[in-house]
Amino acid sequence: MPVFLNSADPEFEASFATLLAAKREDSADVDDIVAGIIARVRAEGDAALVALTEKFDRLTLTPDTLAFTAQEVDAQIEKVGAEDRAALDQAAARIRAYHDRQMPEDASWTDPAGATLGWRWSPVSAAGLYVPGGLASYPSSVLMNAIPAKVAGVERLAITVPTPGGEVNPLVLLAARLAGVDEIYRIGGAQAIAALAYGTETIPPVDKITGPGNAFVAAAKRRVFGKVGIDMIAGPSEILVIADGDNDPDWIALDLLSQAEHDESAQSLLITTDAAFGQAVAAAVDKRLETLERRTIAGISWRDFGAVITVPDLATAAKLSNRIAPEHLELCVADPEALAPHCIHAGAIFLGQWTPEAIGDYVGGPNHVLPTARSARFSSGLSVMDFLKRTTLARMTPEALRAIGPSAERLAQSESLEAHGLSVRARLDMLNR
Amino acid sequence: MPVFLNSADPEFEASFATLLAAKREDSADVDDIVAGIIARVRAEGDAALVALTEKFDRLTLTPDTLAFTAQEVDAQIEKVGAEDRAALDQAAARIRAYHDRQMPEDASWTDPAGATLGWRWSPVSAAGLYVPGGLASYPSSVLMNAIPAKVAGVERLAITVPTPGGEVNPLVLLAARLAGVDEIYRIGGAQAIAALAYGTETIPPVDKITGPGNAFVAAAKRRVFGKVGIDMIAGPSEILVIADGDNDPDWIALDLLSQAEHDESAQSLLITTDAAFGQAVAAAVDKRLETLERRTIAGISWRDFGAVITVPDLATAAKLSNRIAPEHLELCVADPEALAPHCIHAGAIFLGQWTPEAIGDYVGGPNHVLPTARSARFSSGLSVMDFLKRTTLARMTPEALRAIGPSAERLAQSESLEAHGLSVRARLDMLNR
């Protein structure tokens, strides 16, 4: 049973705080193992990748077979049926169209002092995407990570995907092809992250690594951060649905379950202005849990971390939502556009009952890599910005330097940075000669 | 003596690689101490801050005197002379004008399928800025961190600045006032970072922490990352000057020294197309080092990490620059605008000989918090974006769901996420009834 709360109860604040503080992360301490793997890849290069892939993935590789050839990719892609292919095509096109609009603009202007200022965006030169193997090898994640990189203009985009026992998901390779991925390597785990960050004889290093992974992959990403850029370390998935009583309880139940089925640590929350509706949704969840394929996982998530919260009005719902700062927020209310501006911390907002969160996972267009664990308070989902960096530009004329140089000199002196001041003064003296 | 290299020498590649790999970071292992301090602040709150400030800063505080009062700030600000005040005013106005232009736009559009898509930017609610005490207590850093936060719309902006023995830099308080800082606390070190991240009885927690600090502060920021957002962990400062022979060697020497004087681990590099000019600059550096106030620090930095590299042409200079990915890049050449597009990895570019890097530290307008240690390959300087986050928005109509829902359902099935597919199917079935 999930928790049932009512914001009008005197003990609500304590229960809600407990819900917010619930520790949902598996924090397996794998850091020492990962440090050893990274050191080994740095020291031994390809040989370490071959040995570790033999050990962890029961697959015998050589430096020559680390990467899929174009022909191998072709052969796998041929296995994909027409319907799957069409679905992936539609998803790729929609994700690309959305992310195309995110490209930021360069700027340059001359200000009243005569200084020309601005900035310039440029892509990272090379990026690596980690794709998990086995059950969690999601073609949709390949699209969501690779398309923003290519839209940003990343020249060299490499994927690593473990193929335990040689098995690979043809849809993953098709997604990589559709997204324009340049290199695909049959490696996984911390060794793949190490290879991307430091390079080996066969795999040139990249500048940025993104993509989901298990505890080993996450620990490896943390360790190589600084040497390369990384995206966020994603926690278990979350959804908050704010719904009035004018919804089909089964639809909302399925929306809650579509996060719960990801992971036993996922969290599905419902806030409703209608206590009876909340009960109806809980009943609908229970009914769906009788037959759902992933009922064990979803059932544990719903039991341990699920909650149904009754509130007197939508203003209270928005306030609680801001404290939760959910990864996914569904607004299944009569006027979702009116409520959305009050929900200021959320990774993605789904407006109205015709927008189930699952649309956003695949074909909506916005990215499905989103901030978890309340980090939507200060961070954003993946975007083209993650594959770009900004260089600022400044050009002084002699007149501009005359106008603002003395202030720089003065502040440098106040900070006891004499050479800073002198570098300005030497030029001003020339102007005053 | 710095290193003198020539890109035409057969052993150049090895020497340049050594230069790139030079380890300049002090990596004092303070992590255990910092973990203890953070745990203590979380457990004891204000009492821990009072005790640790007594111990480290020789200053007796109470919860009531943790924060400066407005009157205390007023009294300090009155000590600032008119010239310093005018310089700080000009700097603040120029930094604000530059960062105002960085505000990104929201977007919303309806696509051919009938889906309304878009995104919305919103500020983090509360941010904390760490300001070092003592010698490195720079008012310019207060402006560079606080102004972007306020331009972004951060409602609550807190500063922590240690005041060892009660001493405070009046210019730091004036900079905070000019930038619109809301709260100023007399605390520093890992305990200040812990207080900002977790809150105490007196100090409410923030969502994002930025600002420079020593090894303890850096370790604390790494530890609280995830609970709150942080900016980059900055390494020692760097400058690369690309100069032809048509420059005053003394100007270039001062530009190199204005980084070298920051820190014994700072790095100042010159790439020139004119070997004799390179020698002249080195001689000018030596001459300035005879009298410079911070000659000991600057001399060690120049000796240990400085380099003068001769190249046959500017194209080679740009290529080497991209491998260095410098924090600051000065282009002291006849046509800097022609060279800049080839320098694709740099935090900030200063165009032409009238633009000494020190202008950018104080009054140019662009931010002086910039990526170090080659991280300009994948990251950007501080900006308003660091205090904003993006929420994606999507709204389907029944028609839009009919157009794209089947692809979502198909992909969900291919990923064995049944509830995802059912959440779409339940709605499609209603439409088809």
Side-chain angles (χ1 to χ4, degrees):
Chain A
M1 283 284 280
V3 183
F4 288 82
L5 304 176
N6 189 314
S7 69
D9 287 348
E11 66 280 14
F12 172 76
E13 184 53 38
S15 310
F16 186 70
T18 304
L19 190 71
L20 280 187
K23 179 131 181 75
R24 296 188 290 124
E25 281 271 25
D26 299 337
S27 52
D29 192 10
V30 299
D31 208 46
D32 288 347
I33 299 169
V34 164
I37 291 174
I38 293 175
R40 185 163 172 197
V41 172
R42 291 185 69 177
E44 301 170 24
D46 285 346
L49 296 181
V50 168
L52 292 164
T53 303
E54 179 94 51
K55 178 175 169 189
F56 294 122
D57 296 340
R58 307 168 311 284
L59 180 70
T60 306
L61 295 174
T62 66
D64 286 343
T65 56
L66 279 173
F68 280 90
T69 64
Q71 292 70 31
E72 287 169 333
V73 175
D74 290 342
Q76 288 293 333
I77 287 177
E78 273 175 28
K79 299 180 189 167
V80 177
E83 215 178 329
D84 280 341
R85 172 152 199 146
L88 216 51
D89 272 335
Q90 187 177 39
R94 291 186 57 84
I95 295 164
R96 189 172 292 117
Y98 184 92
H99 288 78
D100 273 343
R101 293 188 179 241
Q102 289 181 326
M103 278 299 283
E105 303 216 338
D106 294 350
S108 179
W109 66 94
T110 301
D111 73 10
T116 301
L117 302 173
W119 62 78
R120 186 188 73 189
W121 291 95
S122 57
V124 301
S125 295
L129 310 181
Y130 188 88
V131 180
L135 250 189
S137 178
Y138 295 142
S140 59
S141 287
V142 175
L143 297 182
M144 291 288 182
N145 280 273
I147 289 174
K150 278 296 178 184
V151 168
V154 172
E155 232 176 79
R156 189 184 145 239
L157 182 56
I159 276 187
T160 61
V161 54
T163 58
E167 273 209 49
V168 61
N169 180 346
L171 278 169
V172 161
L173 297 187
L174 176 56
R177 177 68 62 84
L178 291 176
V181 168
D182 302 290
E183 302 161 16
I184 308 175
Y185 298 101
R186 294 177 168 93
I187 54 175
Q191 59 273 24
I193 301 297
L196 290 171
Y198 292 97
T200 68
E201 302 91 318
T202 301
I203 305 178
V206 302
D207 302 304
K208 176 106 187 187
I209 301 176
T210 71
N214 63 19
F216 291 86
V217 171
K221 280 170 69 180
R222 276 186 196 278
R223 280 204 160 254
V224 301
F225 174 56
K227 167 70 179 154
V228 299
I230 63 168
D231 62 343
M232 69 197 84
I233 307 283
S237 195
E238 310 149 7
I239 189 171
L240 168 61
V241 181
I242 299 180
D244 57 28
D246 200 15
N247 279 279
D248 185 328
D250 185 50
W251 293 11
I252 305 302
L254 286 167
D255 297 350
L256 294 169
L257 286 169
S258 71
Q259 294 310 300
E261 74 176 345
H262 267 296
D263 191 332
E264 292 177 3
S265 302
Q267 182 163 54
S268 303
L269 305 173
L270 170 65
I271 299 183
T272 181
T273 46
D274 182 331
F277 176 77
Q279 295 290 346
V281 170
V285 167
D286 288 344
K287 179 126 183 56
R288 287 288 185 174
L289 279 173
E290 289 170 15
T291 56
L292 200 67
E293 284 165 18
R294 295 168 72 102
R295 57 185 170 274
T296 309
I297 291 170
I300 292 171
S301 159
W302 179 241
R303 181 195 69 200
D304 289 353
F305 301 113
V308 176
I309 303 173
T310 304
V311 292
D313 49 44
L314 293 177
T316 305
K319 268 184 211 153
L320 296 181
S321 172
N322 289 335
R323 292 174 63 189
I324 295 166
E327 180 189 14
H328 304 101
L329 175 60
E330 270 188 31
L331 303 181
C332 296
V333 298
D335 189 354
E337 276 84 3
L339 183 57
H342 300 285
C343 300
I344 56 174
H345 304 310
I349 300 181
F350 302 87
L351 299 146
Q353 61 183 358
W354 295 101
T355 319
E357 184 279 330
I359 284 292
D361 283 334
Y362 297 110
V363 295
N367 211 286
H368 79 192
V369 181
L370 294 165
T372 58
R374 303 190 63 219
S375 63
R377 289 174 299 125
F378 55 81
S379 63
S380 311
L382 198 72
S383 76
V384 296
M385 312 291 282
D386 290 282
F387 300 97
L388 296 166
K389 67 269 190 324
R390 191 187 48 246
T391 298
T392 61
L393 298 160
R395 175 161 201 168
M396 299 297 127
T397 57
E399 294 66 42
L401 196 69
R402 219 195 295 265
I404 68 174
S407 290
E409 185 187 17
R410 183 81 200 170
L411 291 170
Q413 286 164 351
S414 81
E415 294 184 356
S416 300
L417 293 171
E418 189 194 12
H420 284 66
L422 289 173
S423 73
V424 176
R425 171 50 49 195
R427 287 154 166 107
L428 290 176
D429 283 346
M430 167 69 85
L431 291 177
N432 295 333
R433 243 183 241 168
Chain B
M1 284 286 281
V3 182
F4 287 83
L5 304 176
N6 189 314
S7 69
D9 286 347
E11 64 281 14
F12 172 76
E13 184 53 38
S15 309
F16 186 71
T18 304
L19 191 71
L20 281 187
K23 179 131 180 75
R24 296 188 291 123
E25 283 269 28
D26 298 337
S27 52
D29 193 10
V30 298
D31 208 45
D32 287 348
I33 299 169
V34 164
I37 291 174
I38 293 175
R40 187 164 169 195
V41 172
R42 291 184 69 177
E44 300 169 24
D46 286 345
L49 295 181
V50 168
L52 292 164
T53 302
E54 179 94 50
K55 177 175 172 191
F56 293 121
D57 297 338
R58 309 169 311 283
L59 180 70
T60 307
L61 295 174
T62 66
D64 286 342
T65 57
L66 279 174
F68 281 89
T69 64
Q71 293 72 29
E72 287 169 332
V73 175
D74 290 342
Q76 289 292 334
I77 287 178
E78 273 176 30
K79 298 181 191 168
V80 177
E83 216 178 329
D84 280 342
R85 176 158 194 140
L88 217 49
D89 272 335
Q90 188 179 39
R94 292 186 58 85
I95 295 165
R96 189 173 291 116
Y98 184 93
H99 288 79
D100 273 343
R101 292 188 180 240
Q102 288 181 328
M103 279 298 284
E105 303 216 339
D106 295 350
S108 180
W109 66 93
T110 300
D111 73 8
T116 300
L117 303 174
W119 62 78
R120 185 188 74 189
W121 291 94
S122 58
V124 302
S125 295
L129 310 181
Y130 188 87
V131 180
L135 251 188
S137 178
Y138 296 142
S140 59
S141 287
V142 175
L143 297 182
M144 291 290 182
N145 279 273
I147 289 174
K150 278 297 177 181
V151 168
V154 172
E155 234 176 79
R156 190 185 144 240
L157 182 56
I159 275 188
T160 62
V161 54
T163 58
E167 273 209 50
V168 62
N169 180 347
L171 278 168
V172 160
L173 297 188
L174 177 56
R177 177 68 60 83
L178 291 176
V181 169
D182 301 291
E183 303 160 16
I184 308 175
Y185 298 101
R186 293 178 170 93
I187 53 173
Q191 59 272 26
I193 301 298
L196 289 171
Y198 291 99
T200 67
E201 302 91 317
T202 301
I203 304 178
V206 303
D207 302 305
K208 175 107 187 185
I209 299 176
T210 70
N214 63 18
F216 291 85
V217 171
K221 280 169 70 181
R222 276 185 196 278
R223 280 206 163 253
V224 301
F225 174 56
K227 166 69 180 156
V228 299
I230 62 168
D231 63 344
M232 70 199 83
I233 307 283
S237 196
E238 309 150 6
I239 188 170
L240 167 62
V241 180
I242 298 179
D244 56 29
D246 200 15
N247 279 279
D248 184 329
D250 185 49
W251 294 11
I252 304 303
L254 286 167
D255 297 351
L256 295 169
L257 287 169
S258 72
Q259 295 309 300
E261 74 176 346
H262 267 297
D263 190 332
E264 293 176 3
S265 303
Q267 183 164 52
S268 302
L269 306 173
L270 170 65
I271 299 183
T272 180
T273 46
D274 182 332
F277 177 77
Q279 294 289 347
V281 170
V285 167
D286 288 344
K287 178 126 184 58
R288 286 287 186 176
L289 279 173
E290 289 170 14
T291 57
L292 200 68
E293 284 165 19
R294 296 168 73 103
R295 57 184 170 274
T296 310
I297 291 170
I300 292 171
S301 158
W302 180 241
R303 182 195 68 201
D304 288 354
F305 301 113
V308 176
I309 304 173
T310 304
V311 293
D313 49 43
L314 293 177
T316 306
K319 268 184 210 152
L320 296 181
S321 173
N322 289 334
R323 290 176 64 190
I324 295 165
E327 180 189 15
H328 304 101
L329 174 61
E330 271 188 28
L331 303 182
C332 297
V333 297
D335 189 355
E337 276 83 5
L339 183 56
H342 300 284
C343 300
I344 57 174
H345 303 310
I349 298 181
F350 302 86
L351 299 147
Q353 60 183 0
W354 295 102
T355 319
E357 184 279 330
I359 284 292
D361 283 335
Y362 297 109
V363 294
N367 211 285
H368 78 193
V369 180
L370 293 165
T372 59
R374 304 190 64 217
S375 64
R377 290 175 297 124
F378 54 80
S379 63
S380 312
L382 198 71
S383 76
V384 296
M385 313 290 282
D386 290 281
F387 300 98
L388 295 167
K389 66 273 191 320
R390 192 187 48 247
T391 299
T392 61
L393 298 160
R395 176 162 200 167
M396 299 297 128
T397 56
E399 294 65 39
L401 196 69
R402 219 195 296 263
I404 69 174
S407 289
E409 183 187 19
R410 183 80 199 173
L411 291 171
Q413 287 164 351
S414 81
E415 294 183 356
S416 301
L417 293 171
E418 188 193 14
H420 284 66
L422 288 173
S423 73
V424 176
R425 173 49 49 197
R427 285 153 166 108
L428 290 175
D429 282 347
M430 167 69 85
L431 291 176
N432 295 333
R433 243 184 238 163

